[in-house]
Structure formats: C-alpha cells, structure tokens
C-alpha cells in the first residue's frame, strides 16, 4: 500500500484504528509525527532515568556492609545500565540518534525521573530505593508492557522481570534492618520518611494537570493514568510498611472502606516542580557526573567506531 495515495487524515484514521484494535505499531509503520515525538520524549526520558538512577546506588557500592550485599548491588546497578541500553536502542528505532538524546539530557531539554535528584544518605536508602523506587517503577512499567509501540512494549517485558528482583532485594534488605537493633530500625524508618513522598511524585502530576496524558492514553502509549498508578502503588505498599513495623510519614493516610483503597495526604507539588525544573537537592551533581563520565568514555566510543569501520572495510574488500 503506497501512503502517497492517502491523505494525512486517512492515514491518521487508519493508524488510530490499528491502535484501538491493540495492534502494535512497528518502526517502519506510518505514524503521526506527534506520536513519534511524544514517544521519543517519554522513552528517552525513561532511558535517562535508568542511567541517572545508577548514581544514588553507585554511591554505596564501595560501602556495602557485606560481600553478598555488594554483589547484589553491583548486579542491580548493572541491570539499570542495561535497561537504559534497551530503551535507548528502542528510541533510536524512531529515527533519532543516541548522541542527540544525550545532548538533550545534558543541555536540560530532556528530563529524567525526579526521584534521582535526592541523595542516598545511609545504607538503608539502598533498601528503600529497591523497595519503593523500583516498586513504583514496576507498577507503571507493567502497564507499559502493553504500550502501543512494539519495541517499547518488548523492552518493558524484560525490564519488568529484572525490576521485580530489584524490588524484592530492596524489601528483604529493609526487613533485615527493620528487625535489627533499634539503631537499624531507626535507619529504616528514616529512609522511608525521606523516600516516601518522592516515590509518590514519580507518577507525575495529578491527571488534571498532566499535559500529555489525554493524547498518550488515546494513542495507548500510556495505559493507566498518573493518579490511578499512584493509588495502586499506595494500596500495594501500605501493607508492606505495616509488615515491616514502620510508620508511613503521612498523618492523613487512612483506609477507606467504601473505596477499598487508601486516602492520603497531598503531595508537595511546589517541591515536585522545583525538582523537575532542575532545582532539586542533587540535579546539578547528577548532570555534571553524567557529563564527566560521558567525556571519559569518549575513547571507548571512538574505538568501537574505528573497529566497526575496519570491519566494514574488510568485508567490502
Ligand atoms: N520526574 O504530562 P505528564 C526507574 C514531567 S525508571 C520528572 O504527566 P507524562 C528504574 C513530564 O516528563 C523511572 N519529570 O507527563 C530505576 C512532563 O514534562 P515534559 C522512570 C516528570 O510523560 C529504579 C511534565 O512533567 N520511569 O525508576 C515526572 O504523560 C531504581 C508533565 O507530566 C519512566 O520514565 C517525574 N516523576 O507522564 C532505575 C516510565 N513526572 O516531558 C534506577 C515511563 C512528570 O513535557 C534505580 N514514563 N514529569 O518536559 C512515564 O510513564 C511517563 O512519562 C510519566 C509522566 C508517568 C513519568
């Protein structure tokens, strides 16, 4: 079928019909330019989040309390780098280069998850990141396994399996602290106090304030709304907090019998806006660190390119 025979409107109608019929959109299929751009935005920001997310955890690799914990943490941080690779590769299928994506991260045009702009101050934070941050990420990513763009959906299937291990190891690590000495239990509570609200912010603004949601839901890029996902995360995490014997840092948190769900206090949206606009506790450090690591890795990229070009020359000869 030649697309030149059809008007833009007809193509858009056929595209929406495919999306509505739950057919996956693949890289070479026709797609509205705004769909492509929106996907590049969301997927690249997701990739950047994975890679910047390595920093707060990387901070504790050399200080992990036991060899076992160190091995698990190393494996987890490596997994996050792997997730970024799947996601950057999937984004590149939309006709954008890795260099362009990194440039947008470095000059502040592309965001990454707000949560990674908070510092990891104690060993308990590593458990809290696995339990709450990966836990929140999974709630969202499970729904993204059914996103309409094929390469993104397939990347999510593998990522979710790995994130599930991350979440469990985080919870197990916090369980040890919560059942340990009074000092250890206090560390676990302190970590929960500092990571709880930022974890809720990961789901983005309220649905009414969410700029992209309506269109993204229509195109089935997003399958559930920001508020729905946040509520699902709260409902699944509250019993886990109770099981640990810790207290959620939200005096308004209350089980609502009628709704079969928890009511909770309001997020500090001013803080959220500050953090996503570059003014959180660690934004500058995170980007500076990434720029430095990227510059230091230039020789690896050069070597790979030289090797590729030699290989091509040999093949051509
Ligand atoms: N942080 O209109 P919406 C992980 C921005 S992976 C920063 O609602 P949308 C694994 C948003 O970009 C975590 N910015 O946007 C791990 C937009 O600005 P823009 C990452 C945020 O896209 C664990 C504006 O606000 N996961 O943690 C945030 O429809 C441990 C308006 O918002 C994903 O990226 C935020 N929290 O919904 C790694 C999942 N929220 O772009 C290491 C895929 C909103 O116009 C260690 N992404 N903004 O400049 C999504 O599902 C969506 O993009 C949302 C936001 C739900 C994040």
């Amino acid at each position: 079928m030649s697309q030149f025979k059809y008007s833009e409107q007809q193509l858009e109608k056929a595209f929406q019909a495919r999306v509505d019929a739950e057919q996956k959109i693949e890289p070479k299929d026709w797609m509205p330019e705004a769909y492509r751009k929106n996907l590049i935005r969301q997927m690249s920001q997701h990739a950047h989040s994975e890679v910047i997310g390595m920093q707060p955890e990387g901070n504790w690799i050399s200080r992990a309390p036991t060899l076992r914990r160190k091995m698990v943490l190393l494996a987890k941080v490596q997994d996050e780098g792997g997730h970024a690779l799947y996601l950057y590769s999937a984004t590149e299928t939309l006709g954008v280069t890795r260099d362009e994506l990194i440039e947008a991260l470095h000059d502040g045009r592309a965001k990454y998850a707000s949560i990674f702009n908070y510092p990891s101050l104690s060993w308990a934070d590593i458990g809290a990141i696995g339990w709450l941050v990966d836990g929140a990420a999974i709630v969202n990513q499970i729904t993204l396994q059914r996103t309409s763009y094929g390469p993104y959906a397939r990347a999510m299937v593998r990522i979710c399996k790995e994130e599930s291990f991350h979440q469990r190891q985080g919870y197990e690590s916090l369980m040890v602290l919560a059942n340990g000495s009074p000092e250890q239990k206090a560390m676990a509570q302190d970590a929960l106090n500092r990571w709880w609200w930022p974890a809720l912010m990961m789901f983005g603004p309220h649905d009414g304030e969410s700029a992209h949601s309506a269109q993204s839901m229509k195109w089935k890029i997003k399958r559930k709304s920001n508020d729905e996902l946040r509520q699902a995360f709260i409902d699944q995490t509250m019993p886990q907090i109770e099981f640990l014997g810790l207290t959620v840092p939200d005096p308004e948190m209350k089980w609502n019998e009628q709704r079969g769900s928890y009511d909770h206090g309001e997020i500090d949206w001013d803080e959220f806006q500050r953090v996503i606009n570059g003014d959180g506790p660690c934004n500058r450090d995170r980007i500076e660190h990434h720029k430095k690591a990227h510059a230091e890795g230039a020789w690896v990229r050069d070597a790979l390119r030289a090797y590729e070009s030699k290989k091509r020359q040999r093949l051509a000869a």
Side-chain angles (χ1 to χ4, degrees):
M1 163 174 108
S2 158
Q3 64 187 58
F4 301 112
K5 283 195 229 150
Y6 300 94
S7 70
E8 187 86 1
Q9 265 172 338
Q10 286 170 316
L11 288 166
E12 278 206 36
K13 216 169 143 206
F15 172 85
Q16 189 62 51
R18 285 190 61 193
V19 169
D20 292 343
E22 300 287 336
Q23 285 175 21
K24 291 279 174 259
I25 305 301
E26 298 297 338
K28 289 188 177 155
D29 293 342
W30 186 89
M31 60 185 85
E33 186 53 18
Y35 175 86
R36 194 181 72 85
K37 285 215 171 103
N38 194 13
L39 268 178
I40 292 177
R41 178 194 66 82
Q42 176 168 324
M43 290 167 67
S44 66
Q45 295 191 162
H46 195 163
H48 298 325
S49 305
E50 301 280 356
V51 97
I52 298 285
M54 294 163 82
Q55 290 187 39
E57 294 186 311
N59 181 31
W60 280 89
I61 291 173
S62 60
R63 289 176 287 161
T66 66
L67 180 60
R68 174 174 167 264
R69 294 280 179 211
K70 186 173 180 140
M71 280 159 53
V72 172
L73 183 57
L74 262 174
K76 179 183 189 302
V77 173
Q78 262 181 331
D79 281 355
E80 308 299 0
H83 297 174
L85 283 181
Y86 316 151
L87 287 165
Y88 282 128
S89 302
T91 315
E92 283 176 298
T93 65
L94 291 157
V96 62
T97 66
R98 185 87 56 97
D99 286 345
E100 287 172 299
L101 299 175
I102 302 291
E103 208 179 290
L105 171 69
H106 285 176
D107 66 23
R109 275 176 292 131
K111 296 186 169 71
Y112 54 88
S114 46
I115 190 104
F116 300 120
N117 292 307
Y118 292 84
S120 49
L121 301 177
S122 83
W123 171 252
D125 288 17
I126 298 306
I129 291 175
W131 169 38
L132 298 173
V133 180
D134 285 270
I138 300 170
V139 168
N140 184 0
Q141 288 170 171
I142 281 176
T143 68
L144 289 174
Q145 292 179 123
R146 292 187 302 114
T147 192
S148 56
Y149 189 55
Y152 194 19
R154 290 189 286 275
M156 280 301 128
V157 173
R158 180 154 172 188
I159 291 177
C160 279
K161 285 191 182 135
E162 293 173 355
E163 300 284 37
S164 163
F165 152 75
H166 296 171
Q167 194 269 351
R168 277 152 204 244
Q169 68 79 35
Y171 192 63
E172 189 265 344
S173 166
L174 266 200
M175 193 140 46
V176 170
L177 291 178
N179 291 309
S181 65
E183 289 81 3
Q184 287 172 319
K185 186 165 182 185
M187 272 171 71
Q189 181 64 55
D190 173 58
L192 173 61
N193 292 348
R194 284 180 293 104
W195 291 93
W196 176 252
W197 291 104
L200 298 191
M201 292 176 197
M202 285 177 73
F203 297 95
H206 279 314
D207 296 347
E209 311 286 320
S210 165
H212 301 288
S213 275
Q215 187 60 70
S216 292
M217 298 282 276
K218 185 164 178 243
W219 279 330
K220 298 191 196 283
I221 291 176
K222 281 168 90 163
R223 306 300 310 238
K224 287 212 169 151
S225 80
N226 298 0
D227 286 327
E228 278 178 291
L229 292 169
R230 188 171 12 248
Q231 185 70 57
F233 171 72
I234 292 171
D235 291 346
Q236 94 175 23
T237 310
M238 279 306 294
Q240 297 170 358
I241 296 178
E242 278 162 27
F243 188 75
L244 289 176
L246 300 179
T247 308
V248 70
D250 177 356
E252 290 174 51
M253 184 69 75
K254 207 169 69 240
W255 177 250
N256 182 324
E257 196 66 52
Q258 258 182 342
R259 288 200 306 119
S261 212
Y262 282 89
D263 292 335
H264 59 92
E266 196 50 280
I267 289 169
D268 181 345
W269 293 111
D270 289 340
E271 176 178 324
F272 172 74
Q273 286 301 334
R274 273 198 308 278
V275 175
I276 69 169
N277 288 310
D279 200 17
C282 301
N283 295 57
R284 287 168 200 84
D285 289 351
R286 298 291 186 239
I287 289 296
E288 278 320 304
H289 186 91
H290 192 276
K291 283 184 180 165
K292 187 166 168 276
H294 191 66
E296 284 171 2
W299 70 271
V300 180
R301 294 188 295 280
D302 291 345
L304 278 172
R305 276 190 206 109
Y307 175 71
E308 271 305 312
S309 113
K310 272 191 188 162
K311 217 164 68 175
R312 263 198 299 272
Q313 278 168 15
R314 259 202 308 274
L315 272 174

